[in-house]
Amino acid sequence: MALYLLYETASGYSLFLAHGLDQIGQNTEAVRSSISDMNRFGKVVQLTAFHPFESALDALNQCNSVSEGLMTNELRNFLELNLPKVKEGKKAKFSLGVSEPKIGSHIFEETKIPCQSNEFVLELLRGVRLHFDRFIKDLKPGDLEKAQLGLGHSYSRAKVKFNVNRVDNMVIQAIFLLDTLDKDINSFSMRVREWYSWHFPELVKIVNDNYLYARVVKLIEDKSKLTDDMVPALTDILGDEDKAKEIVEAGKASMGQDLSVVDLVNVQMFAQRVMDLSEYRKKLYEYLVTKMNDIAPNLASLIGEVVGARLISHAGSLTNLAKCPSSTLQILGAEKALFRALKTRGNTPKYGLIFHSSFIGRASARNKGRMARYLANKCSIASRIDCFAEKNTTIFGEKLREQVEERLDFYDKGVAPRKNIDVMKAAIESTENNDTEMKEAVTDTSGKKSKKKKSKSEIAVDGEPMSADKVAATNGDASEEPKSEKKKKKKDKRKLDEEPADDLNGISGVDAHEDGTAKKKKKKEKAEDNEEDVQAKSEKKKKKKSKSEDGDE
């Protein structure tokens, strides 16, 4: 059986024929020893076809498809053109050796070309890679290296830009930085407390919060300068007037030693740094909340932004978290305890990072494990919705949170919770309603805009003929000249004659209308009388004729 080798390079696809090899008799060590010698290897492996890539972009697309285990149309045409054709219903008398089993299985599914990928084929491809520049004569020295370097840079750049995880790297970095900031702020504030306690030891017991302590230290500076005038400023910082007065009284009777100006300046600078770090920590937390609402809104609404970000960072990405089963998500973060329990055959841990959620803290001791298992189940559902859903909505997370609350009530009071199918149906209906409302709002706004545009266009269209009529009228007046002027004069005279007649009669518009109707009635009556007279005359004539006819007889 003939063996063909498919080799993908940065410059194109190449097909080699390995003949004169007995795969059963040859072992990998013999092949490995014969690879280094080009004279021996060139007799066994020969180039049959080479298809260069059209451009760097084409090379990048082909490389991406090969790395994902997909066969492109170009590769299919190249193989079908250069490999022997297989008749239907008969086995192929050759096989194709590939480096990746994924692309081999895809080629077999699409083209029914038998493929194989084993140590023997990989050793042959290693020899092809070693002597590839000698097989293709037109290649200049250094061309292959340049193509490989360019393709490598473009491939890595595309991988960095194309991130399926919805830029959840920012969340991972933010939660790591938030944890380190918490540690640093705690250690720095303890250092400020110890440093300033040499000067004012009573202040530590009065002010417990680290950030407020640093602000008070920045305000007081020297305890000898503490007076009643500083009480309003201290109340603004602490929010409690009694504590402010207590600080002033403690400063007057303090047991601390005096510090030099240089030492006080250093303490003030360090306290300012602690304040800046605390303020930056607040801003970073707000940034984390906004990013979590963009990337995983359902997970954030279910379990909280910080715990959700910790789960994503521990899993590596949102897609990795979505792939995890709920049992893995439940003990995520407790891997050491799990393997210790497996090693010592002890009890496995019930929860990992999920323990920081408020739901497990609210559950009783006997129900903490159950609550952790149920919460991990809902978290896995929420993470999958966030990862694979097209639109970002918090409705599913809110519904899942309601389910967890109902489960807590079930463990405490025995109230039966709703079924998961009913809750998910309600969530889907609410999302569809929101989508329809959004569409209606968009259509209403677009309809209003179109109406405004239409009204403006109608006004413009109506106004143009008016102006055109005016222009035409002026042009017509100019052309007619004396005739039109005479007609106008006659009309004006008639109007003047009619107006005084109306004034003399003192008739309004309605009265004039009534007079007109009366005149019409009179005319009708006269016409009817005339018709009766005509009919009477015609009857008299008929009678006379009849009499004359009788006399003749």
Side-chain angles (χ1 to χ4, degrees):
M1 181 181 283
L3 177 64
Y4 287 89
L5 301 173
L6 176 65
Y7 180 60
E8 309 93 358
T9 62
S11 55
Y13 293 118
S14 54
L15 195 66
F16 293 86
L17 175 62
H19 56 86
L21 280 175
D22 187 8
Q23 189 174 347
I24 299 171
Q26 292 279 355
N27 55 5
T28 54
E29 292 181 0
V31 176
R32 195 177 293 119
S33 61
S34 64
I35 279 171
S36 57
D37 189 7
M38 177 58 189
N39 293 326
R40 292 176 62 188
F41 188 75
K43 293 177 181 177
V44 175
V45 178
Q46 292 180 354
L47 179 69
T48 57
F50 178 71
H51 176 69
F53 296 135
E54 295 178 356
S55 61
L57 182 62
D58 185 26
L60 178 61
N61 294 330
Q62 298 294 328
C63 182
N64 285 326
S65 60
V66 169
S67 64
E68 292 172 4
L70 300 173
M71 180 181 63
T72 59
N73 293 328
E74 292 183 6
L75 179 58
R76 181 172 186 167
N77 295 332
F78 173 69
L79 293 175
E80 289 177 350
L81 186 65
N82 296 295
L83 287 173
K85 293 182 180 180
V86 182
K87 294 181 180 179
E88 293 181 359
K90 292 186 178 180
K91 290 184 178 181
K93 295 181 180 179
F94 66 93
S95 63
L96 181 67
V98 293
S99 57
E100 290 292 332
K102 285 184 179 180
I103 194 168
S105 61
H106 192 253
I107 289 169
F108 180 72
E109 288 174 2
E110 294 292 330
T111 60
K112 302 300 179 184
I113 295 172
C115 299
Q116 59 176 339
S117 177
N118 48 30
E119 292 184 3
F120 183 74
V121 172
L122 291 175
E123 289 296 328
L124 290 175
L125 288 172
R126 192 168 69 85
V128 169
R129 190 184 306 111
L130 183 63
H131 305 292
F132 183 71
D133 53 347
R134 297 186 185 179
F135 283 109
I136 298 175
K137 299 176 182 178
D138 296 334
L139 273 177
K140 296 179 182 178
D143 287 348
L144 190 61
E145 287 79 5
K146 288 179 182 177
Q148 289 173 351
L149 185 64
L151 182 60
H153 280 299
S154 58
Y155 180 73
S156 58
R157 197 182 300 117
K159 279 291 179 186
V160 170
K161 284 182 180 178
F162 180 70
N163 196 352
V164 189
N165 306 326
R166 292 187 184 178
V167 202
D168 51 3
N169 297 322
M170 303 298 109
V171 170
I172 295 168
Q173 298 300 325
I175 194 65
F176 274 129
L177 184 57
L178 199 68
D179 292 337
T180 53
L181 273 177
D182 288 335
K183 293 177 184 177
D184 294 341
I185 288 168
N186 285 329
S187 59
F188 290 161
S189 9
M190 289 302 296
R191 185 60 53 203
V192 170
R193 284 172 179 270
E194 289 180 7
W195 200 349
Y196 196 69
S197 292
W198 288 99
H199 180 62
F200 193 0
E202 293 83 6
L203 187 63
V204 177
K205 296 180 180 179
I206 299 169
V207 183
N208 296 320
D209 189 71
N210 293 329
Y211 179 66
L212 295 179
Y213 187 88
R215 289 186 66 185
V216 170
V217 169
K218 187 80 170 60
L219 178 66
I220 293 172
E221 294 182 359
D222 194 356
K223 67 177 181 179
S224 60
K225 297 178 182 178
L226 267 174
T227 58
D228 294 334
D229 297 335
M230 297 182 71
V231 172
L234 287 169
T235 51
D236 291 338
I237 294 170
L238 298 171
D240 190 358
E241 190 176 355
D242 296 334
K243 279 189 177 181
K245 291 178 180 178
E246 189 179 352
I247 288 169
V248 172
E249 290 174 0
K252 292 177 181 177
S254 178
M255 297 290 291
Q257 65 181 13
D258 294 332
L259 294 178
S260 63
V261 179
V262 178
D263 294 335
L264 284 172
V265 168
N266 282 312
V267 172
Q268 299 298 318
M269 290 173 65
F270 193 56
Q272 184 62 44
R273 293 293 175 89
V274 172
M275 289 165 57
D276 294 340
L277 279 175
S278 299
E279 290 171 359
Y280 175 67
R281 198 258 180 204
K282 290 178 183 176
K283 292 179 182 177
L284 186 67
Y285 176 73
E286 292 173 359
Y287 166 75
L288 179 64
V289 169
T290 54
K291 291 298 289 183
M292 279 296 293
N293 289 327
D294 292 337
I295 294 164
N298 294 301
L299 186 64
S301 60
L302 171 63
I303 203 170
E305 289 84 6
V306 177
V307 181
R310 284 203 177 101
L311 287 172
I312 291 171
S313 65
H314 199 83
S317 65
L318 184 62
T319 50
N320 291 344
L321 185 66
K323 290 174 184 176
C324 288
S326 59
S327 58
T328 306
L329 197 146
Q330 181 182 351
I331 57 168
L332 207 64
E335 287 84 3
K336 287 184 180 178
L338 174 67
F339 291 118
R340 193 191 313 121
L342 293 173
K343 189 176 181 181
T344 59
R345 293 182 181 180
N347 293 326
T348 55
K350 296 177 181 177
Y351 28 68
L353 292 169
I354 290 180
F355 180 75
H356 298 288
S357 174
S358 60
F359 294 113
I360 295 173
R362 287 162 55 189
S364 60
R366 57 178 293 184
N367 293 324
K368 283 186 185 292
R370 297 178 184 176
M371 201 65 223
R373 185 169 63 250
Y374 189 80
L375 185 60
N377 182 14
K378 300 304 171 188
C379 285
S380 65
I381 293 170
S383 62
R384 287 165 189 173
I385 292 169
D386 289 328
C387 184
F388 301 110
E390 295 178 356
K391 295 180 182 179
N392 288 342
T393 55
T394 58
I395 294 168
F396 290 98
E398 292 168 359
K399 295 290 183 183
L400 292 171
R401 189 179 181 86
E402 290 175 4
Q403 278 188 292
V404 178
E405 294 281 355
E406 290 174 2
R407 182 64 61 162
L408 269 174
D409 293 338
F410 173 69
Y411 289 144
D412 294 338
K413 302 173 185 177
V415 180
R418 291 177 293 172
K419 290 184 178 180
N420 190 36
I421 298 171
D422 300 334
V423 175
M424 288 295 107
K425 283 181 180 178
I428 291 167
E429 287 176 0
S430 57
T431 51
E432 289 176 354
N433 293 331
N434 288 336
D435 292 338
T436 53
E437 287 176 1
M438 289 290 290
K439 288 178 181 178
E440 287 175 359
V442 171
T443 51
D444 290 339
T445 53
S446 61
K448 288 179 181 178
K449 289 180 180 179
S450 61
K451 283 180 181 178
K452 287 180 180 179
K453 288 180 180 178
K454 283 181 180 179
S455 61
K456 288 180 181 179
S457 60
E458 284 173 359
I459 290 164
V461 170
D462 294 337
E464 286 172 1
M466 289 293 288
S467 59
D469 293 338
K470 287 178 181 177
V471 172
T474 52
N475 292 333
D477 292 339
S479 61
E480 287 176 0
E481 289 178 352
K483 293 180 181 178
S484 62
E485 287 177 1
K486 290 178 181 178
K487 288 180 180 179
K488 283 181 180 179
K489 286 179 181 179
K490 289 180 180 178
K491 287 180 181 178
D492 294 334
K493 285 180 180 179
R494 286 176 186 171
K495 285 180 181 178
L496 291 169
D497 294 336
E498 289 172 0
E499 282 175 0
D502 294 334
D503 294 335
L504 290 168
N505 294 327
I507 298 166
S508 62
V510 179
D511 296 337
H513 180 69
E514 289 176 355
D515 293 338
T517 53
K519 288 177 181 178
K520 287 179 181 178
K521 285 179 180 178
K522 288 178 180 179
K523 287 179 179 178
K524 284 182 179 178
E525 289 174 357
K526 288 180 180 180
E528 288 174 357
D529 295 337
N530 294 328
E531 286 177 359
E532 288 176 356
D533 295 336
V534 171
Q535 287 177 358
K537 288 178 182 179
S538 62
E539 286 177 356
K540 286 179 180 179
K541 287 180 180 179
K542 286 179 180 179
K543 287 178 180 179
K544 286 179 180 180
K545 284 182 180 179
S546 61
K547 286 178 180 180
S548 59
E549 287 175 358
D550 293 334
D552 294 331
E553 289 175 356

